[in-house]
Amino acid sequence: MHTYRLTHLKALEAEAIFIMREVASQFEKPVLLFSGGKDSIVMVRLAQKAFHPAKIPFPFMHVDTGHNFPETIEFRDKLVKEVGANLIVRTVQESIDKGRATEEKGPQASRNMLQTVTLLDALEEFQFTAAIGGARRDEEKARAKERFFSHRNEFGQWDPKNQRPELWNLFNGNMHIAEHFRVFPLSNWTEMDVWQYIKMEELSLPSIYFSHEREVIHRNGIYLANSEYLTLGKDEFIENMVVRCRTVGDMTCTGVVASPARNVDDIIAEVAAARVTERGGRTDDKRSETAMEDRKKDGYF
């Protein structure tokens, strides 16, 4: 008798699909947070598999800082069109214009933290009860504290000390009016798992994930892609380097790394040898020892 054994990628895929289906069954109005980055691209593929042959039963939403890599926005729109999904875009600029958020000033100003206000306002606007995100526990120490179903109170805040147990894959989505959940189907995945899955599924990605020549600025031990959104310090200068992005986000805080990796196989080999997490190049995580956890408590992704 033939015995079928799941590979670790197929086991992770099955777990994530199960979570997706739990969201669809337990929550009245879920939404998938979609940035055009590699993790959200994997999430789209998992959602397609979870509900095939039907269409994905919830919309996508992107909280746009206005300072994103243009390659990512172009790819986002292309993939959404291919999938046939409904994309909702809410911008940090709108939050600033309404007086809901205040633009940071100074040479290291970023809009990354301002996304929280825009996200919470959008969740309230559409009355979404669950927001599905691509965060993984291996990314950052605060991420490691998350459950699959992460409860948020009526103010969108997260209490890491008061999370619900998830024994035997039983998920409690009960909530009061005005509360919601963040759901993380990729919680148990690693960066390596994501790249191996991308290879297995032959997924397309924004070009910035692969080696290319770019103008960069060296700031606080991190290389940032030069853009109109950066203000150079007196000792900073622009140089050309061959780089790629390990993660994507706001250009003011998302570091790039020197890399010759031009395809997925090259990246898998590079990740295997890496000793710094992919968020090790994010300046927003370095503002304090508890920067990510503080943002998450306030309602960040």
Side-chain angles (χ1 to χ4, degrees), residues 92-132:
V92 169
Q93 185 62 55
E94 290 171 344
S95 298
I96 294 170
D97 293 343
K98 293 176 182 177
R100 296 280 296 145
T102 302
E103 188 93 69
E104 291 186 356
K105 301 185 183 302
Q108 300 199 40
S110 173
R111 287 185 171 182
N112 200 58
M113 292 180 67
L114 306 186
Q115 292 179 92
T116 299
V117 172
T118 310
L119 172 63
L120 293 177
D121 285 352
L123 294 175
E124 182 177 359
E125 175 187 354
F126 292 97
Q127 295 294 294
F128 288 126
T129 50
I132 309 167

Side-chain angles (χ1 to χ4, degrees), residues 30-85:
V31 64
L32 189 147
L33 301 177
F34 182 71
S35 66
K38 69 181 189 310
D39 299 300
S40 57
I41 291 167
V42 167
M43 295 277 288
V44 170
R45 175 53 57 88
L46 292 167
Q48 288 176 308
K49 289 192 172 190
F51 304 106
H52 180 79
K55 294 182 70 173
I56 298 172
F58 35 73
F60 298 177
M61 183 167 71
H62 183 207
V63 176
D64 187 351
T65 66
H67 294 172
N68 291 287
F69 288 86
E71 298 95 328
T72 307
I73 300 301
E74 180 182 346
F75 186 92
R76 177 201 71 185
D77 294 341
K78 176 174 175 287
L79 182 60
V80 166
K81 185 176 181 180
E82 290 174 356
V83 172

